[in-house]
Amino acid sequence: MSTERLARAAWVGLWVWASGLASAIVLAPLLADDLFVGRAATFAGFVVALGVLARGVGLGDGTAVLAEAAGAVACVTYALTPGTGILGVIPTPATLAQIGEILSGAGTHAQQYAPPVPPSPDLDAMLIGAVLALTLLTDAVAVWLGQAVLLGLVWIALYVTPATLVGDDLGIAGFVVSAIAFGGLVVATGPGARRRATSLAELDDDPPTPAGHQATAAAVTAVAIVGAVALAPVLPAATANLLSGTGGSGSGPGSGLTNPVLDMRRNLQEQSNSRMVTVTALDSAPRPRYVRLASLPSLEPDGWTLGDRVGASQPVSDGIPAAPGRDDELEAERARYTATVDPAFATRWLPHLYAPVSVSVGEAEDVQVDRRMLDISRLPDTGTFAGDTYQFASDLSSPTSTQLRLAPSSAITMSAYTRLPEDTPGVVTDRALEVVGNLQDPFDQALALQGWLREDGGFVYDVQSAPGSGMETMEAFLTDERVGYCEQFASAMAMMARALRIPARVAIGFLSGEQGSTDDSWIFRGTDMHAWPELYFAGIGWVGFEPTPGGSGYSPPSFEGGQGGDSSSDESGDAAQQPDEAEATTAPGQVSDSGAAPDGTAADGRRSYALLGLAALALVLLLVAPASIRVLRRRRRTQTRGAGPRAEAAWAEIADTAEDLGLGWDDGLSARAASAPLRARLSSAPDASAALTRIVTELERARYAAEAGDGTPWEDVVVVRDALIAGVDRRRRVRATVMPRSVLRTRSRDRGGDDEHSEVLSLQE
């Protein structure tokens, strides 16, 4: 097995595996958790390793792909359909039947929910299989066929699919992993990587060297990635800013919507007593609280916005998707209501309780539901819900504190909901870390933030305070002023949660109305309008919190079980908070009870698979970098043109080989003196000794004679290298391949090109 061939195969295999890892990360937002990414990356690594070994022993690319395919089949049989194969790895008809059941179960599960879909073993297995298939496709097209650029179309489709279904971009980490993987694959498998000259003479009439093309491709890839990452934050986005009052006016679904936040500000500050909505409970449904109008998932420098919702909605006549991220095993109560919107309340947002499962409303063909937010609205230019009476049903869940603490991390799948603008004041993160102290669990951290804003932070509720949730407003709110109303309290908790890598958004609607003419009817007025934060927990979905101080009459959720939307009453006040909340909360600027200052481990402890993928890729690149540099340097030398430069390149390769093998080398000696110890080692290999003599002779002629010789054939270099490598033990050979010492220095006569030739000419003169 040639070490050089194995190193080259490993280098290419690294990028094939990185492409498989990137595909898993790109697909991760489709699920509510990202646990399948680790398994998919492991299986893809095993499959690629088989291809590397096959190429390392000299088998062709086609055979290597077949070996990888066999490994993929074995992985699927052993891990995804256990107990169905011969010896656990050879598929049988039972294996195929089990795969059919997995695909059927995954399809059925996916059709029941809008992305991100709750966890499902069948769906995980299907995505793992998809990653393995994409890895095989990458190797076949990029390495075997040498057409890596064609994979660009596959990557575009792969990248667009989750963004379209989930409706959010994949974030910087997902983009960088994908871009590095694709760019590295193009560079590693391009024409310059596939061509190998058998002698230097063959390159005399060649166009610019393939190594130059590789360097150019690598540079273009790096510049493109850095440029995209740098420009992304400053490019305009198609968003509608609700909290800052700059709503859009487009004509597509989800754009040009009315602004409920402006209504909230006006009604709260003017203490408007206007009736807006009347809700009647049917079939003993719970009292309606937190009647929502819209969700604000995107945070911009001016405040919370609708985000880009184009293409994210579907007609309510097609049904309402299941609540994103909510496991179908989570206990919930189906509650039904009739509602009437006052004729004076011209809203395009339909008041309802989360999570809606059905709605019966007039002119339903003009009504749409957002698949991610489950907000219900009329299409632009089709009127409002003013004066409409309609019925809706919602599944009301009251998750327990135990369920919330057991929820797995969803940092990668919901990364769009953990983003903060670049100009976010540092006080947001600083206060968040101070408040949570050493708490590690996201739910405990959320309770600490809620308790600090409600009680321990010294905040005052005042509807006459300055409106808005822009960066300057929030900085003042969290530092000196500490006066505001629900808009600032909800925004502050959502921003601080994001600083802790907890997915968060803000909801707008009504809090708690007054009883109407009957025991089961409730009237919501302008003074009842409210904003509250919602935090995401995998398997449970979006959960509302109440950071607005208790003195204003708002009560926090109890999180102690029980169904319905009224898990706490107004009379319960702050007593409904968790018993350990005050103990867990650390006041800003103080040392926690343990005596240790907050150190940010709460925010740093949760790492998404995207960041793990970047770290793993960086580690692998660091480990293979020396060997890769050595291989590329040797390849560049084989492509040197001109007799003098070729002689210098051949001598530099001999010097590097001796240094890598630990044979000792002194650049200060003459060529004959430096080669003497090597001749002694080659005494039992006359062909190699003669080849070394020819290399030294050509070098001396190039340096000192009036005219250079014919140039050193690279075959002489190969003969000498092979003989020197064969003369040392295995430990030295492995070290020379994996960690070559010569990469730490650049030899003065190993520059190549015209500059080196000019130096040789100057010596001759």
Side-chain angles (χ1 to χ4, degrees):
M1 179 184 295
S2 168
T3 54
E4 182 178 351
R5 184 167 53 231
L6 181 61
R8 187 180 306 109
W11 174 247
V12 174
L14 165 67
W15 294 110
V16 174
W17 173 80
S19 299
L21 172 64
S23 67
I25 293 175
V26 170
L27 292 172
L30 296 176
L31 272 65
D33 64 46
D34 45 28
L35 300 180
F36 85 94
V37 175
R39 297 180 66 197
T42 301
F43 294 154
F46 170 75
V47 167
V48 171
L50 294 178
V52 170
L53 291 176
R55 293 185 174 99
V57 299
L59 299 178
D61 289 331
T63 305
V65 173
L66 290 177
E68 291 175 336
V73 171
C75 286
V76 171
T77 304
Y78 177 79
L80 305 184
T81 60
T84 64
I86 300 173
L87 301 178
V89 296
I90 301 175
T92 64
T95 305
L96 299 179
Q98 182 66 28
I99 291 174
E101 294 178 5
I102 290 174
L103 295 177
S104 177
T108 301
H109 185 76
Q111 291 175 0
Q112 294 176 347
Y113 303 94
V117 178
S120 163
D122 289 342
L123 201 54
D124 280 1
M126 186 184 75
L127 290 178
I128 291 173
V131 171
L132 292 178
L134 288 168
T135 303
L136 290 174
L137 178 66
T138 299
D139 199 318
V141 174
V143 185
W144 186 9
L145 301 180
Q147 300 294 327
V149 176
L150 294 180
L151 290 172
L153 298 175
V154 178
W155 274 97
I156 291 174
L158 183 67
Y159 197 87
V160 167
T161 297
T164 301
L165 294 177
V166 181
D168 288 303
D169 60 85
L170 301 178
I172 294 299
F175 168 76
V176 170
V177 172
S178 303
I180 290 178
F182 181 66
L185 194 65
V186 171
V187 173
T189 61
R194 297 178 62 84
R195 293 184 50 192
R196 294 209 58 197
T198 57
S199 69
L200 295 177
E202 296 177 7
L203 297 173
D204 283 344
D205 299 324
D206 278 355
T209 64
H213 291 315
Q214 284 184 278
T216 301
V220 170
T221 299
V223 171
I225 295 173
V226 173
V229 172
L231 290 176
V234 301
L235 292 178
T239 61
N241 192 332
L242 289 182
L243 289 183
S244 64
T246 58
S249 58
S251 59
S255 62
L257 300 174
T258 54
N259 194 329
V261 167
L262 296 182
D263 286 333
M264 179 190 69
R265 291 174 181 166
R266 182 179 62 253
N267 285 299
L268 288 177
Q269 292 180 339
E270 296 179 0
Q271 290 295 288
S272 170
N273 200 40
S274 300
R275 178 186 301 205
M276 294 190 170
V277 184
T278 301
V279 179
T280 301
L282 304 177
D283 304 325
S284 301
R287 172 184 177 179
R289 299 181 77 239
Y290 292 99
V291 177
R292 69 170 49 232
L293 292 172
S295 301
L296 312 178
S298 181
L299 179 60
E300 305 295 338
D302 291 334
W304 291 88
T305 75
L306 284 169
D308 185 3
R309 299 197 176 198
V310 176
S313 300
Q314 67 184 46
V316 293
S317 57
D318 292 344
I320 296 179
R326 181 180 291 187
D327 197 322
D328 53 6
E329 296 180 358
L330 182 69
E331 187 176 3
E333 177 183 3
R334 180 68 54 85
R336 293 176 172 81
Y337 301 89
T338 295
T340 299
V341 179
D342 191 84
F345 184 31
T347 175
R348 290 187 189 156
W349 297 96
L350 185 79
H352 65 280
L353 274 67
Y354 193 84
V357 294
S358 66
V359 60
S360 177
V361 62
E363 300 178 350
E365 66 276 6
D366 297 330
V367 180
Q368 60 184 357
V369 57
D370 187 283
R371 290 186 292 268
R372 297 164 297 140
M373 303 296 109
L374 298 190
D375 298 336
I376 302 171
S377 61
R378 284 202 181 278
L379 290 169
D381 304 323
T382 61
T384 69
F385 292 108
D388 285 0
T389 296
Y390 57 94
Q391 289 189 0
F392 67 91
S394 300
D395 280 347
L396 309 180
S397 66
S398 296
T400 65
S401 56
T402 300
Q403 291 173 317
L404 291 164
R405 289 189 175 97
L406 292 176
S409 171
S410 53
I412 181 173
T413 58
M414 304 298 287
S415 61
Y417 301 95
T418 61
R419 246 172 253 150
L420 292 171
E422 287 189 356
D423 57 351
T424 299
V427 67
V428 174
T429 301
D430 294 342
R431 288 290 184 266
L433 294 175
E434 291 173 358
V435 168
V436 301
N438 294 321
L439 295 175
Q440 298 292 323
D441 183 78
F443 175 64
D444 289 330
Q445 293 175 342
L447 288 181
L449 296 178
Q450 177 180 261
W452 182 67
L453 289 165
R454 288 181 61 84
E455 291 184 342
D456 304 327
F459 290 88
V460 176
Y461 181 90
D462 185 357
V463 296
Q464 300 303 323
S465 61
S469 59
M471 297 304 152
E472 293 183 1
T473 300
M474 297 314 300
E475 182 175 20
F477 177 72
L478 290 174
T479 52
D480 301 326
E481 296 182 3
R482 301 206 177 187
V483 177
Y485 59 101
C486 57
E487 180 179 353
Q488 287 80 45
F489 285 99
S491 298
M493 181 168 177
M495 292 174 67
M496 295 170 74
R498 288 193 172 194
L500 298 173
R501 302 287 295 164
I502 305 174
R505 67 185 184 186
V506 172
I508 299 294
F510 301 90
L511 176 58
S512 180
E514 64 185 59
Q515 191 165 346
S517 57
T518 62
D519 292 341
D520 53 6
S521 66
W522 305 89
I523 298 172
F524 295 87
R525 303 184 183 276
T527 51
D528 297 316
M529 295 198 76
H530 188 48
W532 63 92
E534 293 179 333
L535 277 55
Y536 183 89
F537 296 86
I540 297 171
W542 292 102
V543 178
F545 287 80
E546 188 50 83
T548 305
S552 63
Y554 305 126
S555 302
S558 68
F559 299 118
E560 290 304 325
Q563 296 174 333
D566 191 16
S567 59
S568 61
S569 64
D570 289 344
E571 290 74 20
S572 63
D574 296 337
Q577 299 221 24
Q578 292 294 317
D580 59 347
E581 180 179 337
E583 180 180 349
T585 302
T586 303
Q590 296 182 357
V591 178
S592 63
D593 293 339
S594 63
D599 58 3
T601 55
D604 296 335
R606 299 184 302 277
R607 292 289 185 255
S608 69
Y609 273 109
L611 296 179
L612 288 176
L614 282 173
L617 187 58
L619 178 61
V620 173
L621 286 174
L622 183 63
L623 293 176
V624 304
S628 302
I629 294 172
R630 184 69 176 88
V631 170
L632 292 175
R633 181 180 292 178
R634 184 182 309 125
R635 186 175 303 162
R636 177 174 58 82
R637 289 167 177 161
T638 67
Q639 298 161 354
T640 306
R641 289 177 289 180
R646 285 201 301 246
E648 295 288 353
W651 183 244
E653 181 61 28
I654 296 300
D656 281 357
T657 301
E659 189 167 0
D660 294 341
L661 295 173
L663 302 181
W665 189 263
D666 187 351
D667 281 326
L669 298 177
S670 67
R672 288 189 178 275
S675 64
L678 301 184
R679 284 198 183 89
R681 285 185 166 273
L682 299 175
S683 59
S684 59
D687 291 343
S689 181
L692 179 61
T693 299
R694 289 192 294 271
I695 292 172
V696 173
T697 300
E698 289 296 327
L699 178 67
E700 291 175 337
R701 291 181 63 183
R703 288 182 177 179
Y704 311 119
E707 294 184 1
D710 297 331
T712 303
W714 193 257
E715 289 85 348
D716 284 349
V717 178
V718 174
V719 170
V720 175
R721 283 191 72 254
D722 290 347
L724 291 175
I725 292 172
V728 299
D729 56 40
R730 178 178 298 178
R731 180 178 61 84
R732 288 194 181 191
R733 290 198 298 269
V734 172
R735 186 177 62 188
T737 301
V738 178
M739 294 297 294
R741 302 174 181 177
S742 61
V743 300
L744 299 179
R745 73 164 72 189
T746 300
R747 304 187 184 279
S748 59
R749 294 182 179 273
D750 186 32
R751 303 188 191 110
D754 296 337
D755 292 340
E756 181 180 359
H757 191 55
S758 299
E759 180 182 351
V760 175
L761 290 177
S762 66
L763 288 175
Q764 293 173 347
E765 294 173 356

